[in-house]
Amino acid sequence: MHNHVYPAGTEPHPQHGPQGAQPRRQEPQQQAPDLSIADELKRSGLTAVCASYVLDFAQNDKPGDARENFLRWLTAIDAQLAKGHMRRALNLKDLHAAHDHGSPTIVQTVEGAMFIEGHLDRVEEVYKRGVRHLQLLHEHDDMVSPLGDTNTAAAHLGGLTAFGAQVVKECNRLGIVVDMAHASHETVRGALKVATQPLIISHTSLDSRTGGDPRMVQMMKPRLISKEQAKVVAEAGGIVGVWTHLADSLQDFVESIKAMVDAIGIDHVGMGTDTDLLSSRAGQGTNAAYAGMVGGFFPAVAGEMLRQGFTPEDIGKVGGGNFCRVFGKAMAGHT
């Protein structure tokens, strides 16, 4: 439900930390030029990932830059898809066909919709480029017309803004899944009030699952949610994706999935790894989410889920079936 896909040369380099924080001291993300989207997807055991670009980590110095950066990245993905004889899934039928034929595909998304800059027509512009999943917020505001408060900065917008509500409605009109990851709880509640389709939070974990690395806990805790906050999304028919972050091992990751299932039910949980498909670094790459993983990501996770008592039906729901339900509802009535 949330995966980064950066062809070599398109990696966004973090310019600053979250709003109000000090600049990040972080190594630039570098992807392996010899890895292909198609090959890494086949290796992962998954038919598709929601392929994202961290837009506010790009160099956005003035209005217009975010839009140009996103369109440039979409063009780079176009080339990679053509090279791998791949397509974007534009509706649920496309996802089912890809699964039936073993054809890797992507669901196009972006992390942070600051490319909109007050121009609602830009939502339809990227829809025509294949975007079917839109994460409204990341760490920085749209510099022209902010959409809502994030969960890593002091609230200053009153939750979802009036323009943010327009964007949610436009996504519902066009047939785009709305992703509220990185949004404050008030922003999520505001989106639920205006949405006509279920929402997702593509990547987070319960605030009771913090792992054993104090530095990571301090950095990631604002991005976690309580059981009560997760239930609000589930009760509206949505899904919460579970991070690999803050889980110290494959066993811990599956235990985090189980904790989320216990909190909101098996029909409302997905996998939101927040890893990089084209990285081979342990802890960062999708197929190297944990050191010592043998084979691809999904077979390893499915095996551990079986060991922890999940049924094959459960694994099918968490591994993609739940997302497909919401994806299908968002696309209903759209070609």
Side-chain angles (χ1 to χ4, degrees):
M1 287 172 56
H2 183 75
N3 204 274
H4 295 290
V5 179
Y6 304 134
T10 70
E11 305 88 352
H13 294 175
Q15 302 301 317
H16 303 283
Q19 296 169 38
Q22 294 297 314
R24 290 182 178 221
R25 298 290 184 264
Q26 181 172 331
E27 290 294 320
Q29 300 176 59
Q30 299 291 339
Q31 305 305 317
D34 57 336
L35 298 181
S36 78
I37 296 175
D39 289 346
E40 287 305 293
L41 256 176
K42 288 178 181 177
R43 183 182 167 208
S44 75
L46 298 166
T47 296
V49 295
C50 297
S52 186
Y53 180 77
V54 186
L55 188 54
D56 59 348
F57 282 177
Q59 193 75 44
N60 304 315
D61 295 325
K62 62 184 184 300
D65 286 353
R67 174 177 176 269
E68 290 304 312
N69 281 324
F70 186 34
L71 294 178
R72 187 178 301 115
W73 181 74
L74 287 174
T75 298
I77 295 296
D78 289 342
Q80 288 295 313
L81 294 180
K83 182 179 178 181
H85 305 288
M86 295 175 61
R87 298 174 57 191
R88 294 178 175 90
L90 303 181
N91 50 50
L92 185 57
K93 182 179 177 181
D94 288 347
L95 274 182
H96 282 162
H99 184 268
D100 291 345
H101 294 95
S103 304
T105 189
I106 64 170
V107 176
Q108 190 67 73
T109 184
V110 63
E111 186 160 29
M114 56 283 302
F115 68 90
I116 299 175
E117 298 178 325
H119 298 276
L120 194 62
D121 59 301
R122 291 185 184 175
V123 180
E124 187 164 5
E125 177 185 29
V126 298
Y127 175 86
K128 291 176 179 177
R129 291 293 300 269
V131 171
R132 293 295 184 272
H133 174 173
L134 187 67
Q135 183 181 321
L136 267 64
L137 305 170
H138 187 228
E139 292 181 350
H140 299 281
D141 290 338
D142 180 323
M143 67 175 66
V144 175
S145 187
L147 304 179
D149 287 315
T150 70
N151 56 17
T152 49
H156 63 290
L157 298 169
L160 189 75
T161 65
F163 185 65
Q166 291 183 50
V167 172
V168 171
K169 292 176 181 178
E170 182 69 354
C171 287
N172 290 164
R173 182 186 75 83
L174 291 168
I176 298 175
V177 174
V178 176
D179 184 353
M180 299 304 296
H182 286 269
S184 72
H185 189 51
E186 285 305 310
T187 303
V188 173
R189 284 189 175 276
L192 286 168
K193 289 179 181 178
V194 300
T196 57
Q197 298 290 349
L199 307 174
I200 72 170
I201 296 179
S202 63
H203 57 292
T204 185
S205 283
L206 292 176
D207 56 12
S208 57
R209 302 286 307 177
T210 56
D213 183 337
R215 183 187 64 84
M216 283 291 289
V217 172
Q218 182 180 14
M219 180 169 63
M220 295 298 186
K221 194 155 188 178
R223 299 162 172 84
L224 304 179
I225 60 176
S226 68
K227 290 181 180 180
E228 291 71 25
Q229 291 167 342
K231 286 176 182 176
V232 168
V233 175
E235 288 169 355
I239 317 169
V240 179
V242 179
W243 252 343
T244 53
H245 299 334
L246 298 182
D248 299 327
S249 66
L250 184 59
Q251 177 181 336
D252 287 344
F253 175 55
V254 173
E255 288 174 355
S256 293
I257 293 173
K258 188 175 188 302
M260 190 69 75
V261 168
D262 290 343
I264 63 176
I266 192 68
D267 293 323
H268 302 285
V269 179
M271 294 181 187
T273 60
D274 200 10
T275 48
D276 300 332
L277 188 67
L278 297 182
S279 173
S280 56
R281 286 177 55 188
Q284 176 176 301
T286 303
N287 288 315
Y290 297 103
M293 278 183 61
V294 177
F297 173 79
F298 187 66
V301 174
E304 181 60 29
M305 290 182 75
L306 287 171
R307 281 188 285 275
Q308 293 197 29
F310 286 91
T311 67
E313 182 183 8
D314 293 338
I315 296 169
K317 288 181 176 184
V318 175
N322 291 336
F323 177 82
C324 284
R325 183 189 72 249
V326 171
F327 190 71
K329 285 182 67 69
M331 307 299 131
H334 300 276
T335 56

